[in-house]
């Protein structure tokens, strides 16, 4: 299936130069009808130069005229005669739509608070930010630090749960394992045997004690007689 090049610029041209409905333009350009309406109102793509799809070879004049006569007709992207090579995406920060870029500091704060094991490079890959922004959020020197709220980047649509789990698992593997808690240990035998054992008090017999107390009196009584 052919892919439309510069869909928003094409939508601008169709809005300005045709009588197509918003739904027809939205489906042809893979946009939301409200976004096409925003283009017509001047709220979206303001100042953007339109691209003629007929001149670009992606739409035939006959199909455009048919769509203008029938609001229910849906146009199809024409196959380009020039075959362009597939471009591989260069490695780097994840691209973040303009509408969601303001949520990145909130996502950074959430990641720092809930996953402190993540490195800056991993946070950059997840939310498409910069190292300076991460540092400013961590040090609370961000220009909007008083209004930041930790928000899950998955909920914000900045990354997928699979990407987040992958980075968290990678960070957990790279983190050194904590030293085992040995707790209290027993003293070696040579130490315990070398210590002076406490003196034990002899067991006292009550009858023996009373016998010793009575014996001197008996001897004194015998001397008096």
């Amino acid at each position: 299936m052919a892919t439309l090049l510069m869909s928003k610029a094409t939508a601008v041209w169709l809005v300005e130069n045709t009588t197509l409905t918003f739904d027809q333009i939205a489906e042809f350009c893979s946009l939301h009808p409200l976004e096409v309406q925003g283009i017509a109102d001047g709220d979206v793509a303001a100042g953007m130069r339109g691209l003629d799809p007929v001149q670009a070879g992606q739409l035939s004049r006959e199909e455009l005229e048919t769509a203008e006569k029938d609001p229910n007709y849906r146009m199809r992207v024409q196959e380009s005669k020039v075959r362009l090579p597939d471009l591989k995406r260069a490695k780097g920060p994840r691209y973040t739509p303009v509408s969601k870029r303001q949520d990145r500091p909130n996502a950074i704060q959430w990641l720092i608070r809930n996953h402190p094991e993540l490195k800056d490079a991993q946070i950059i890959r997840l939310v498409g930010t910069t190292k300076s922004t991460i540092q400013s959020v961590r040090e609370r020197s961000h220009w909007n630090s008083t209004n930041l709220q930790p928000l899950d980047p998955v909920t914000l649509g900045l990354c997928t749960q699979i990407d987040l789990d992958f980075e968290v698992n990678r960070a957990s593997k790279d983190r050194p394992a904590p030293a085992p808690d040995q707790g209290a240990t027993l003293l070696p035998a040579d130490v315990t045997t070398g210590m002076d054992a406490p003196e034990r008090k002899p067991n006292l017999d009550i009858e023996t004690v009373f016998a010793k107390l009575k014996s001197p009196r008996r001897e004194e009584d015998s001397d008096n007689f």
Side-chain angles (χ1 to χ4, degrees):
M1 182 177 180
T3 303
L4 182 65
L5 300 177
M6 302 180 65
S7 57
K8 190 166 293 186
T10 303
V12 170
W13 188 91
L14 293 174
V15 169
E16 295 176 349
N17 297 276
T18 66
T19 59
L20 298 173
T21 64
F22 292 160
D23 291 336
Q24 287 176 304
I25 298 175
E27 186 166 345
F28 179 73
C29 299
S30 300
L31 300 175
H32 195 278
L34 294 178
E35 192 170 4
V36 178
Q37 183 177 354
I39 294 175
D41 295 338
D43 299 331
V44 180
M48 179 178 291
R49 184 177 180 181
L51 176 65
D52 185 355
V54 178
Q55 186 177 0
Q58 295 195 293
L59 180 66
S60 64
R61 176 62 63 180
E62 293 77 10
E63 189 168 9
L64 177 59
E65 293 176 354
T66 302
E68 286 181 315
K69 295 177 182 178
D70 183 5
N72 296 322
Y73 184 80
R74 294 296 181 261
M75 301 178 297
R76 295 181 181 181
V77 180
Q78 188 175 357
E79 289 286 346
S80 177
K81 297 179 180 180
V82 180
R83 188 68 178 178
L84 298 177
D86 296 333
L87 299 178
K88 295 183 179 180
R89 182 179 180 272
K91 294 182 178 180
R94 179 188 299 273
Y95 172 76
T96 305
V98 178
S99 59
K100 297 181 180 180
R101 291 180 185 177
Q102 60 184 359
D103 296 327
R104 286 186 296 191
N106 296 326
I108 294 172
Q109 191 174 37
W110 188 92
L111 292 171
I112 293 175
R113 176 175 298 183
N114 294 277
H115 297 287
E117 70 276 9
L118 291 176
K119 300 178 181 178
D120 290 352
Q122 294 177 297
I123 298 177
I124 291 173
R125 286 196 296 268
L126 287 172
V127 300
T129 184
T130 61
K131 192 170 184 179
S132 59
T133 304
I134 298 174
Q135 185 176 359
S136 64
V137 173
R138 182 179 283 114
E139 297 177 353
R140 298 183 182 276
S141 60
H142 191 270
W143 66 272
N144 196 28
S145 59
T146 56
N147 299 322
L148 294 182
Q149 297 179 354
L151 298 175
D152 188 351
V154 177
T155 305
L156 294 174
L158 297 175
C159 67
T160 64
Q161 188 65 48
I162 296 176
D163 294 334
L164 178 59
D165 294 341
F166 176 78
E167 296 295 347
V168 171
N169 293 333
R170 174 184 288 183
S172 301
K173 293 179 180 179
D174 296 339
R175 183 175 54 183
D181 186 11
Q182 297 180 353
T185 57
L186 298 176
L187 295 175
D190 56 348
V191 176
T192 56
T193 54
M195 297 175 62
D196 295 335
E199 295 182 357
R200 298 181 60 185
K201 295 181 179 180
N203 295 330
L204 298 179
D205 188 0
I206 297 178
E207 294 181 357
T208 304
V209 173
F210 280 103
K212 291 182 179 180
L213 293 175
K214 293 179 180 180
S215 57
R217 292 183 179 180
R218 292 178 178 176
E219 292 178 354
E220 292 177 356
D221 294 341
S222 61
D223 293 341
N224 293 332
F225 287 106

